[in-house]
Amino acid sequence: MRLKIVQVGEPVLRQFARPLLQEEIALPETQQLIVWMHETMRDAPGVGLAAPQVGLPLQLAVIEDRPEYSKDIAADRLAERERQSVPFQVLINPRIVEQSEEHVDFFEGCLSLGGFSALVKRSRQVAVEYWDERGQPRRVEAQGWYARILQHEIDHLHGLLYIDRMEPRSFMSIDNLSRHWKDLPVQSVRLALGVHETE
């Protein structure tokens, strides 16, 4: 079943989502929601989906970066982004417990802000603790694109969108990103757009 993905302006996207209790995780409705969110994310397609994006203020997100999503991206751009495929993963009540001082910026989009993208600066490495779909405690250490996906989805659970962190001068339509910028190194894009380095 494909769930409706709510768009920016919906109040639920600006709420701090409620943590799930451990006993709620095994409930049939929670397990069904996870299946539907997975199907919705794949259908979109996207690499992550948080419960607030389907109208539910719960600390639950799913991520998956399938190999076919990056097959048309040049090898040097993949290397620059440190992007590799990520298997399907369920994150319940995730917390970033460590993050690097080193930051990198790349274009991000969002299924709740359809048709647009912007440069967003994020920590290059993070460690995240969470519960999986069986209520088991987990910890993952990630870098590059994987770390970016985790930070983006956890932001959703705190009522934040990438536009809250973006470089405003880089905000553009997906069409223009594809037409003018997608094959350029980020540093070249920054120079062309007059975006200055900040920490």
Side-chain angles (χ1 to χ4, degrees):
M1 177 177 172
R2 173 138 192 223
L3 302 172
K4 180 185 177 184
I5 298 176
V6 302
Q7 294 298 301
V8 62
E10 283 288 340
V12 69
L13 292 174
R14 292 309 196 173
Q15 295 174 18
F16 197 98
R18 174 181 74 77
L20 273 78
L21 302 174
Q22 194 152 22
E23 55 266 28
E24 291 181 282
I25 297 172
L27 293 174
E29 52 265 40
T30 304
Q31 294 298 310
Q32 185 64 74
L33 175 61
I34 290 168
V35 170
W36 285 342
M37 285 178 63
H38 189 194
E39 291 173 359
T40 302
M41 174 180 64
R42 280 193 167 187
D43 189 55
V47 296
L49 187 68
Q53 293 182 273
V54 294
L56 299 170
L58 301 173
Q59 291 212 7
L60 165 64
V62 296
I63 66 173
E64 182 182 39
D65 194 359
R66 305 175 77 187
E68 54 264 40
Y69 294 164
S70 53
K71 65 180 173 52
D72 295 328
I73 301 174
D76 53 344
R77 295 287 75 78
L78 287 175
E80 181 186 34
R81 297 172 195 176
E82 297 183 275
R83 183 170 180 177
Q84 298 175 330
S85 60
V86 178
F88 178 66
Q89 187 174 11
V90 177
L91 303 157
I92 297 170
N93 304 340
R95 295 181 307 120
I96 296 174
V97 293
E98 293 175 28
Q99 55 193 109
S100 65
E101 292 184 11
E102 181 186 1
H103 292 82
V104 289
D105 50 358
F106 290 110
F107 281 99
E108 283 186 27
C110 181
L111 297 175
S112 291
L113 197 71
F116 294 94
S117 188
L119 287 172
V120 180
K121 187 180 293 292
R122 297 204 186 262
S123 294
R124 181 171 171 259
Q125 296 176 303
V126 294
V128 175
E129 292 180 353
Y130 63 98
W131 289 338
D132 67 15
E133 64 272 27
R134 293 177 298 281
Q136 296 300 308
R138 301 284 180 196
R139 176 187 168 100
V140 63
E141 296 182 4
Q143 69 179 39
W145 204 254
Y146 186 11
R148 179 170 297 273
I149 296 170
L150 289 166
Q151 290 169 84
H152 181 112
E153 298 310 324
I154 291 170
D155 269 358
H156 273 303
L157 306 181
H158 298 165
L160 295 168
L161 299 171
Y162 82 83
I163 52 175
D164 300 320
R165 301 184 185 276
M166 73 178 180
E167 169 49 59
R169 287 183 63 86
S170 71
F171 186 67
M172 65 182 67
S173 70
I174 294 286
D175 287 344
N176 279 333
L177 173 61
S178 295
R179 185 176 297 123
H180 301 293
W181 309 104
K182 73 178 178 72
D183 295 323
L184 295 176
V186 168
Q187 192 56 38
S188 299
V189 174
R190 296 182 68 90
L191 288 170
L193 294 175
V195 175
H196 304 290
E197 289 286 351
T198 57
E199 275 303 324

